[in-house]
């Protein structure tokens, strides 16, 4: 575990070279010093987010038990809006069990970007520690992909022909995942962002908390990611559209021989139709 923490910290330090401490227990790694006012606004927003009124410049996007995702608007000295992911570890057992969550995700986002995968830019990463040095809040400041929404949200409101176009538009993203040798364990429609006004535009990946990176691409991993993603879209697209999509994806990654195509589609169908535990997904190579 400690080797993984050190590895993640090295990746963060290599990309976010400016460090800033606004208290003894708070440390930030930033792209540059111009982001100091952003950290101050983000910290104030996190302190006020649980109050009845809440900060006026914050839009809550997702709020789970240990994680809040929000947009902080361009006010209070901010020249632009940002997306913030905050892991709130208020209980001691959570600080022991989940202390790597924020670090894992920011390191994975940086690695994915370096491997040519479409992800939002990382502007900063911060940690607030308790008196024992354990992380109580882990914070990631990201590019706001304005005008883009999760593909499952878009499909829920669009006709089937538009949903099929959205599916086809993700071929480039999946081919980049393949070439970047990235295995995303929880690939689903909530992780892929598309432009609402241009459905054929480039898709972006926004959730890389649970991902591994390998030395070389794997068709098995690609078919797993494709199968699980297609499962999350099957209520809005036809079987024919999924068949077309997987055919275009295989062509995009240069899987062209009839035997290779048949074997790959067999693995795709397996993952499309099978519920796997997290341990089973972690073993896929």
């Amino acid at each position: 575990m400690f080797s993984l923490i050190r590895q993640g910290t090295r990746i963060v330090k290599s990309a976010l070279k400016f460090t800033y401490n606004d208290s003894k227990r708070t440390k930030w790694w930033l792209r540059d010093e111009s982001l100091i006012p952003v950290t101050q606004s983000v910290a104030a927003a996190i302190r006020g987010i649980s109050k009845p009124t809440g900060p006026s410049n914050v839009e809550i996007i997702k709020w789970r038990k240990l994680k809040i995702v929000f947009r902080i608007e361009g006010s209070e000295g901010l020249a632009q809006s940002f997306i913030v992911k905050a892991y709130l570890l208020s209980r001691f057992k959570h600080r022991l069990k989940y202390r790597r969550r924020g670090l894992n995700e920011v390191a994975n986002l940086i690695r994915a970007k370096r491997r040519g995968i479409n992800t939002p830019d990382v502007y900063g990463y911060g940690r607030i520690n308790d008196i024992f040095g354990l992380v109580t809040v882990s914070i990631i400041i990201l590019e706001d992909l304005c005008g883009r929404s999760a593909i499952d949200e878009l499909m829920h409101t669009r006709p089937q022909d538009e949903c099929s176009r959205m599916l086809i538009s993700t071929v480039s993203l999946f081919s980049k995942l393949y070439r970047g040798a990235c295995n995303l364990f929880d690939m689903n429609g909530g992780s892929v962002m598309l432009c609402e006004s241009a459905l054929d535009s480039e898709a972006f990946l926004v959730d890389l908390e649970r991902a591994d990176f390998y030395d070389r691409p794997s068709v098995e991993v690609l078919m797993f990611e494709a199968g699980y993603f297609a499962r999350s879209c099957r209520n809005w697209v036809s079987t024919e559209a999924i068949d077309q999509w997987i055919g275009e994806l295989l062509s995009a990654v240069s899987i062209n021989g009839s035997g290779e195509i048949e074997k790959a589609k067999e693995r795709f169908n397996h993952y499309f139709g099978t519920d796997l535990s997290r341990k089973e997904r972690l073993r896929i190579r």
Side-chain angles (χ1 to χ4, degrees):
M1 177 179 288
F2 290 107
S3 63
L4 291 174
I5 292 174
R6 286 195 295 269
Q7 182 187 44
T9 302
R10 283 197 301 270
I11 293 170
V12 169
K13 287 181 177 179
S14 69
L16 306 173
K17 299 181 183 297
F18 181 81
T19 57
Y20 168 66
N21 295 1
D22 61 6
S23 72
K24 289 183 179 179
R25 296 179 187 169
T26 303
K27 185 169 185 177
W28 291 92
W29 290 264
L30 305 172
R31 180 176 287 189
D32 57 63
E33 62 183 316
S34 70
L35 291 159
I36 290 176
V38 180
T39 68
Q40 295 168 342
S41 293
V42 167
I46 290 172
R47 288 194 298 269
I49 215 162
S50 60
K51 295 178 180 178
T53 55
S56 61
N57 63 331
V58 166
E59 175 193 352
I60 303 295
I61 297 172
K62 187 184 297 183
W63 195 331
R64 294 178 179 169
K65 185 177 181 180
L66 301 176
K67 180 180 178 181
I68 300 175
V69 182
F70 62 88
R71 173 179 289 108
I72 187 163
E73 299 292 347
S75 60
E76 298 182 13
L78 303 185
Q80 64 187 87
S81 61
F82 299 88
I83 297 297
V84 177
K85 293 187 176 186
Y87 295 86
L88 310 180
L89 309 179
S90 57
R91 301 179 66 177
F92 184 74
K93 67 177 183 179
H94 293 155
R95 296 173 197 177
L96 293 175
K97 185 175 181 180
Y98 301 118
R99 58 182 170 175
R100 289 194 294 115
R101 287 186 67 180
L103 180 62
N104 281 354
E105 180 153 18
V106 72
N108 286 341
L109 284 161
I110 292 167
R111 294 177 75 181
K113 177 73 76 173
R114 288 173 174 173
R115 294 190 181 206
I117 299 166
N118 293 346
T119 57
D121 288 334
V122 178
Y123 291 110
Y125 169 65
R127 288 198 302 238
I128 302 173
N129 297 331
D130 63 15
I131 59 173
F132 302 107
L134 296 177
V135 177
T136 61
V137 186
S138 188
I139 308 162
I140 307 171
I141 302 175
L142 297 168
E143 172 190 8
D144 186 0
L145 298 174
C146 299
R148 289 181 170 86
S149 297
I151 194 171
D152 57 359
E153 294 178 6
L154 292 173
M155 285 187 172
H156 188 71
T157 60
R158 303 295 179 96
Q160 192 175 79
D161 62 326
E162 289 190 11
C163 293
S164 298
R165 282 175 53 205
M166 290 185 226
L167 185 63
I168 294 297
S169 71
T170 66
V171 166
S172 175
L173 177 63
F174 276 87
S175 65
K176 289 175 180 178
L177 276 171
Y178 171 73
R179 294 190 174 92
C182 174
N183 183 2
L184 188 61
F185 309 135
D186 292 328
M187 191 70 184
N188 58 69
S191 303
V192 178
M193 305 286 282
L194 286 177
C195 183
E196 299 178 41
S197 59
L199 300 180
D200 299 326
S201 61
E202 287 272 334
F204 277 73
L205 195 59
V206 295
D207 190 352
L208 278 94
E209 182 183 337
R210 298 177 178 89
D212 267 342
F213 295 84
Y214 306 119
D215 294 332
R216 61 180 62 88
S218 165
V219 176
E220 186 74 16
V221 168
L222 177 63
M223 291 302 96
F224 157 68
E225 291 171 328
Y228 255 56
F229 177 74
R231 284 164 63 94
S232 69
C233 301
R234 60 186 170 182
N235 290 335
W236 302 289
V237 296
S238 65
T239 302
E240 292 76 18
I242 293 174
D243 288 341
Q244 178 190 354
W245 173 70
I246 196 64
E248 292 196 19
L249 175 56
L250 293 174
S251 177
V253 297
S254 302
I255 298 174
N256 299 312
S258 58
E260 291 178 300
I261 292 173
E262 183 178 352
K263 182 178 178 181
K265 286 186 174 181
E266 179 184 329
R267 300 309 297 158
F268 170 80
N269 289 330
H270 168 73
Y271 292 120
F272 181 76
T274 307
D275 287 316
L276 299 177
S277 68
R278 186 172 184 270
K279 287 185 177 180
E280 289 172 321
R281 284 177 276 156
L282 288 171
R283 289 198 294 265
I284 298 169
R285 294 289 187 273

